[in-house]
Amino acid sequence: MKCAIGHDSHAYYQHLGKPLILGGVKIPGGQPLKSNSDGDVVFHALTNAISGLTGVNILGKIADEMCIKHRITDSSEYVNEALKYMGKNKIVHVSFSIECLTPKLENYIHDIRLSIAELLALDISCVGFTATTGEELTMFGRGKGILCTCIITSN
Ligand SMILES: [Zn+2]
């Protein structure tokens, strides 16, 4: 059995027409995150956690090349790229924790869990997802962006 952690954060910025996407789900009215890609901080944290299992880092050189050279901005593709190196390891559970002031994610958590479960071919019961404002003690909790941490268990 293995455990791995992944982490990512992005700042909000003004960009008309770019949606806020979290875990592959468009959040209506959400402010977009600054990134060359779709800025999906949840999938980026997941990609990093998978890299923590495989030892093959995707975010950085490989994802930058996918994004800039091949115009692949859908972050689920970075997750899929990371999954290529899983070998015989199989993900059995993932858990996410998000810190942000806005948007309120309560109404979207089910859809986000479902989207992550589909991408990883897991049952939704194997995808945990929580969100907190952290009592506004950090820049994320004060509305400057979103922080996401992901922990994966594999066998
Ligand atoms: Zn990122």
Side-chain angles (χ1 to χ4, degrees):
M1 190 207 239
K2 285 184 178 179
C3 245
I5 191 167
H7 168 105
D8 195 40
S9 57
H10 285 274
Y12 285 128
Y13 79 140
Q14 301 295 334
H15 190 294
L16 287 176
K18 185 173 179 177
L20 173 64
I21 300 175
L22 296 175
V25 175
K26 272 185 197 168
I27 310 296
Q31 212 179 327
L33 293 168
K34 194 174 180 185
S35 170
N36 289 327
S37 71
D38 61 9
D40 192 330
V41 68
V42 172
F43 279 169
H44 295 181
L46 174 59
T47 303
N48 277 339
I50 298 168
S51 291
L53 283 178
T54 63
V56 180
N57 293 357
I58 302 301
L59 294 191
K61 199 167 175 256
I62 293 176
D64 283 352
E65 215 171 273
M66 288 171 74
C67 184
I68 294 160
K69 235 193 225 171
H70 305 290
R71 307 240 175 262
I72 298 167
T73 57
D74 178 347
S75 295
S76 68
E77 293 301 325
Y78 311 150
V79 175
N80 285 328
E81 186 64 26
L83 288 171
K84 286 181 187 170
Y85 302 94
M86 284 291 290
K88 286 180 183 160
N89 293 322
K90 192 178 177 313
I91 295 170
V92 293
H93 189 267
V94 283
S95 181
F96 293 83
S97 176
I98 267 199
E99 184 176 340
C100 64
L101 181 65
T102 57
K104 296 292 171 221
L105 293 175
E106 205 177 326
N107 294 335
Y108 303 102
I109 285 179
H110 178 79
D111 287 350
I112 293 171
R113 288 175 67 206
L114 200 61
S115 168
I116 295 163
E118 277 173 8
L119 183 62
L120 298 176
L122 286 173
D123 190 85
I124 192 169
S125 65
C126 300
V127 180
F129 196 99
T130 59
T132 179
T133 64
E135 296 201 327
E136 303 182 23
L137 291 169
T138 69
M139 295 299 264
F140 305 104
R142 291 181 204 132
K144 300 293 184 191
I146 303 183
L147 170 75
C148 184
T149 305
C150 171
I151 289 190
I152 289 184
T153 311
S154 86
N155 60 18

